[in-house]
């Protein structure tokens, strides 16, 4: 999709190399989030279509969520990430920023603009890191948008540290100069989510609370709800076992 908004769906960018020829290919990433035990499932890895570097990037997402939203408590979350309609091998961590954004969208229920495409690696602290093939990735998304008709709101977001590596085709530069296509850069996940959703990510105040209605507030609220729900299930399970034991004692 290159228009509209979707919850837990994002356009990511990858590079394919065939001999001496390299080109970018946009991919759709989707995420789900539900009650669980703090694990983010890499579906590509589970079906042996994902490499170890890609899986490392997905594992970093679990660390980011726990460090940011559940430092003093367990994180009762289970999530899944997948490249939709991808039937080849997936390797590298340059989609980890996009995967994290899809996951935050799933938790906050805030939609992501589909006229954007994203590339970038992310670390445990939410900082966007340098990736390879930045020019080919931008051109790959541009080609799809151009074939459908440039609307002026289509854009790619790249790591700030990759700006110095830009050396784009003449038609892409021309479209940017005429405001028909845009290239943004971001340094943090908060900046990235702000661009993709048009909503403030939110910074903690002195009391440790995020602004009401911000993305981080909604994510924190959902994770707290999942933790409460898990505790309720655990209490009900223990109560059920006690009641069952008492019933058996009376029966005997």
């Amino acid at each position: 999709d290159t228009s509209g908004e979707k919850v837990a769906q994002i356009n990511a960018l990858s590079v394919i190399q065939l001999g001496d020829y390299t080109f970018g290919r946009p991919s759709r990433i989707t995420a789900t989030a539900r009650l669980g035990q703090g694990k983010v499932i890499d579906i590509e890895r589970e079906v042996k279509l994902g490499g170890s570097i890609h899986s490392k990037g997905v594992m970093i997402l679990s660390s980011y969520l726990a460090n940011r939203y559940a430092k003093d408590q367990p994180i009762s979350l289970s999530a899944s990430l997948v490249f939709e309609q991808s039937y080849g091998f997936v390797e590298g961590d340059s989609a980890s920023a996009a995967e994290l954004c899809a996951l935050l969208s799933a938790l906050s229920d805030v939609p992501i603009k589909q006229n954007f495409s994203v590339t970038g690696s992310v670390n445990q602290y939410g900082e966007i890191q340098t990736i390879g093939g930045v020019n080919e990735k931008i051109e790959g998304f541009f080609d799809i948008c151009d074939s459908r008709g440039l609307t002026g709101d289509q854009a790619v977001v790249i790591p700030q540290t990759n700006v110095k590596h830009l050396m784009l085709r003449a038609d892409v530069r021309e479209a940017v100069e005429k405001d028909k296509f845009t290239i943004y850069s971001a340094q943090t996940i908060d900046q990235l989510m702000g661009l993709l959703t048009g909503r403030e990510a939110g910074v903690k105040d002195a009391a440790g609370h995020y602004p009401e209605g911000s993305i981080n507030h909604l994510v924190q609220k959902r994770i707290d709800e999942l933790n409460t729900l898990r505790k309720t299930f655990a209490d009900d399970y223990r109560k059920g076992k006690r009641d069952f034991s008492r019933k058996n004692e009376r029966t005997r």
Side-chain angles (χ1 to χ4, degrees):
D1 294 337
T2 54
S3 62
E5 297 181 340
K6 293 284 179 68
V7 173
Q9 176 176 307
I10 192 169
N11 295 322
L13 296 165
S14 56
V15 169
I16 294 176
Q17 187 166 359
L18 299 174
D20 295 331
Y21 187 63
T22 303
F23 59 95
R25 186 185 71 169
S27 303
R28 174 184 293 170
I29 293 176
T30 60
T32 61
R34 56 208 172 272
L35 183 64
Q37 297 181 343
K39 184 177 181 181
V40 177
I41 299 170
D42 176 10
I43 292 179
E44 308 297 332
R45 180 70 169 178
E46 293 293 317
V47 298
K48 296 181 172 56
L49 284 177
S52 56
I53 297 175
H54 177 258
S55 294
K56 177 184 176 182
V58 173
M59 291 176 70
I60 286 172
L61 307 190
S62 299
S63 299
Y64 172 85
L65 293 174
N67 180 65
R68 183 123 202 214
Y69 304 108
K71 270 189 175 181
D72 303 319
Q73 59 182 334
I75 184 166
S76 303
L77 162 73
S78 181
S80 301
L81 289 161
V82 69
F83 281 75
E84 299 290 357
Q85 288 192 298
S86 170
Y87 308 115
F89 196 73
V90 177
E91 183 59 298
D93 63 353
S94 63
S96 58
E99 289 171 324
L100 180 52
C101 289
L103 189 50
L104 293 174
S105 173
L107 286 165
S108 65
D109 203 34
V110 174
I112 289 173
K113 298 175 183 178
Q114 300 300 296
N115 52 295
F116 279 85
S117 193
V118 175
T119 183
S121 169
V122 67
N123 66 20
Q124 294 184 100
Y125 299 103
E127 298 165 342
I128 309 297
Q129 302 174 133
T130 311
I131 48 83
V134 65
N135 294 292
E136 291 84 356
K137 290 175 179 178
I138 293 170
E139 291 164 358
F141 188 63
F142 173 84
D143 287 340
I144 284 184
C145 295
D146 189 36
S147 67
R148 294 179 177 180
L150 296 175
T151 61
D153 63 355
Q154 295 143 335
V156 171
V157 189
I158 66 172
Q160 174 68 43
T161 49
N162 273 119
V163 170
K164 61 186 177 184
H165 302 133
L166 292 180
M167 191 166 59
L168 297 161
R169 291 188 330 230
D171 56 339
V172 181
R173 297 199 306 272
E174 183 181 355
V176 170
E177 289 169 359
K178 294 181 177 179
D179 293 327
K180 293 182 177 180
F181 190 76
T182 308
I183 301 169
Y184 294 96
S185 65
Q187 292 178 296
T188 65
I189 281 293
D190 283 350
Q191 291 177 354
L192 186 51
M193 285 299 289
L195 282 170
L196 297 178
T197 65
R199 185 184 293 223
E200 179 188 5
V203 179
K204 280 185 178 179
D205 58 21
H209 302 298
Y210 291 109
E212 187 81 21
S214 66
I215 293 171
N216 286 326
H217 168 78
L218 295 172
V219 173
Q220 185 72 70
K221 180 180 177 183
R222 180 56 178 158
I223 287 177
D224 291 344
E225 289 172 351
L226 290 173
N227 284 341
T228 301
L229 191 58
R230 184 180 179 186
K231 184 177 184 300
T232 301
F233 276 120
D235 291 343
D236 289 346
Y237 176 73
R238 285 192 291 268
K239 182 177 181 297
K241 284 188 71 176
R242 288 196 298 269
D243 291 345
F244 182 74
S245 297
R246 290 180 186 134
K247 182 179 179 182
N248 280 351
E249 288 173 4
R250 288 195 298 269
T251 303
R252 289 197 295 270

